[in-house]
Amino acid sequence: MNKILVVGDSCTDIFIYGDINRLSPEAPVPVFNPIKKVKNGGMSKNVVANLKSLGCEVDIITNIDEIRKKRYVHIDTNQMIVRVDEDDRCEQIDEALRMNICNNRYQGKDYDAIIISDYCKGFLEEDDIQFICENNDNVFVDTKKKLGKWIEFANFIKINELEYKKNHELLSDKGFEKKLIVTLGSKGCRWNGNEFSVEEVPVKDVSGAGDTFLAGLVRGYLDTNNIEEAIKFAQKCTTIVVQKHGVATVGLKEL
């Protein structure tokens, strides 16, 4: 069984589904009537949930203080009305914990890969990510930060097209060609000058789809040691999960 360590900030995703039948008499806004609430771990915890669903053994190092993302969703159309982020910052990782993530070991356990899932909420700073990348192998990084030289030692970097454009000057260096995986939404993704198309499916919700892609990418890579096959596996996982409501996972039986 693949053993993976996930390091990054996490939150609680809360989906509040309800109906809308009228506008408020006080302001031109809809009156939302809550019907049901769904809660699950989000951000790095969603990466963990997807890895476990794919049959991996996973541990996580994450923030203790809780971040909450509340999404108010129209129950009939699945249209998000508003998202409310509460306590959107967390404390930085303890230096003693970070220093113990070394040689693919942590607290006496060995790991086949390490995932850095950085949503830029304060848990990981640039030097934290640099240290982990420099002192471990098979490190996959997904970060919202503007990239710099501190990312050079990552084995693979997953970003979306918008993030790539913001970092184009750095990432145009040939040293990044084989480690950079750029997701393109419904158009698939790009790696090493090659584009990987994706099957067109009816999309219900893209919340957490990037986490599913990351989890599938790592599972696929550990199984095959081939990044192209890993990308195809990750895309298959994502294609399934976007057809579900809310922040969801995909299991091996579905694949």
Side-chain angles (χ1 to χ4, degrees), residues 159-176:
I159 59 175
N160 60 38
E161 179 74 345
L162 179 60
E163 292 163 345
Y164 174 80
K165 290 177 179 177
K166 290 180 180 178
N167 293 280
H168 181 264
E169 186 176 344
L170 172 71
L171 299 178
S172 59
D173 187 308
K174 289 187 177 180
F176 285 96

Side-chain angles (χ1 to χ4, degrees), residues 70-81:
K70 290 183 178 179
R71 297 171 176 90
Y72 292 81
V73 183
H74 185 225
I75 197 165
D76 293 331
T77 62
N78 205 50
Q79 175 66 48
M80 190 188 304
I81 307 304

Side-chain angles (χ1 to χ4, degrees), residues 135-147:
N135 291 280
N136 296 275
D137 296 320
N138 273 356
V139 181
F140 292 73
V141 178
D142 183 3
T143 178
K144 305 301 181 188
K145 290 180 173 57
K146 183 170 176 58
L147 302 181

